[in-house]
Amino acid sequence: MISKKALVGAGLLASMLMMSSSALAQTVGFSQIGSESGWRAAETTLTLQQAEERGIDLKFADAQQKQENQIKALRSFIAQGVDAILIAPVVATGWDSVLEEAKEAEIPVILLDRMVDSSDDLYLTAVGSDLVHEGSVAGQWLVDALGGKDCNVVELQGTTGSSPAIDRKNGFEQAIEGHANVKLIRSQTGDFTRTKGKEVMESFLKAEDGGKNICALYAHNDDMAVGAIQAIKEAGLKPGEDILVVSIDAVPDIFQAMAAGEANATVELTPNMAGPAFDALAAYMKDGTMPPKFIQTESKLYTQADDPQAVYEQKKDLGY
Ligand code: AHR
């Protein structure tokens, strides 16, 4: 026979379980930027996986690179009464009104991988890397690799107005400041895509004596670097030797390029931003635990010395 004490205990446990599951997020809206890069594809895959593992119903909206689509998606999530919203904001400005609407509706918002210029009381937390640091790690790698040799650098920037484009540029410039041998001679957006990275690199090569006047490329992401590598090869030069290549993300394709000697270094950005975001959200919904305003992910430098073929093998099936 089951004792009264055990029944009371079981009842308590059942009601505690009910309370904790109803306190957790059931439905979360996710406004993704689009699919401009391999890294973005991996972030989408991992966010869907992380949601599924936690039994969260994830409402996914692809904004096709447009802020207006993200704002529409957020308004639709608010109207549907989701428990929380994740957003990777395409650009940094222009979010105040919609974030205020979410706050008014008491729906916590978490930023993924990119930052906004709005007041930080309009979102619960932001999960991302130190974007300035990433740029400065890339710049420092180049300064060290050159060992004082003169070098004209061209830069492929990310999407204009996005926090990674702004911060990665600043970080790189900080690292090369005071090194008179390193000169940034051209800088233009390639919108984080392979196609535009190739196009813009072609124009840099044309403008700089077929590339003879260029010693290094700094690309704000690996996809643009991969496009640019193609352009360098088509111009009859050797990427990785005639023109050094340093970029950011650490997607599998850049490791293949590194293994072939065609790229030199990359700074890793983890695509798993959703895991820490859902953990912070669960704690907040359970008992109001406030996460820090910024949950920082790691940035690791990889070079040709890090067995790029082996890293490629580890990463190739991870959703990039
Ligand atoms: O916001 C992160 C950046 O966005 C990644 O570095 C880039 O590949 C993506 O498009």
Side-chain angles (χ1 to χ4, degrees), residues 33 36-37 39-40 113-114 131 164 168 192 220-223 248-249 269:
I33 292 170
E36 73 282 2
S37 65
W39 185 89
R40 183 69 51 202
D113 76 85
R114 295 190 187 179
L131 298 162
R168 287 173 182 170
F192 282 130
H220 290 190
N221 81 345
D222 291 342
D223 278 73
I248 295 171
D249 273 358
L269 174 69

Side-chain angles (χ1 to χ4, degrees), residues 154-166:
V154 294
E155 177 183 38
L156 286 169
Q157 295 180 37
T159 302
T160 306
S162 69
S163 63
I166 298 164

Side-chain angles (χ1 to χ4, degrees), residues 28-35 40 44 47-48 58-66 69-77 80 85-88:
V28 174
F30 175 31
S31 170
Q32 177 58 294
I33 292 170
S35 50
R40 183 69 51 202
T44 298
T47 306
L48 296 171
L58 193 77
K59 300 198 174 298
F60 179 78
D62 178 339
Q64 318 241 326
Q65 308 296 320
K66 290 198 175 87
N69 289 346
Q70 292 204 285
I71 292 175
K72 265 189 217 150
L74 257 61
R75 292 205 165 117
S76 152
F77 294 148
Q80 290 170 62
I85 292 172
L86 304 183
I87 177 170

Side-chain angles (χ1 to χ4, degrees), residues 12-49:
L12 203 65
L13 182 67
S15 62
M16 274 171 67
L17 281 173
M18 271 174 62
M19 264 175 59
S20 70
S21 72
S22 65
L24 298 180
Q26 307 292 312
T27 306
V28 174
F30 175 31
S31 170
Q32 177 58 294
I33 292 170
S35 50
E36 73 282 2
S37 65
W39 185 89
R40 183 69 51 202
E43 187 192 49
T44 298
T45 307
L46 280 158
T47 306
L48 296 171
Q49 270 172 16

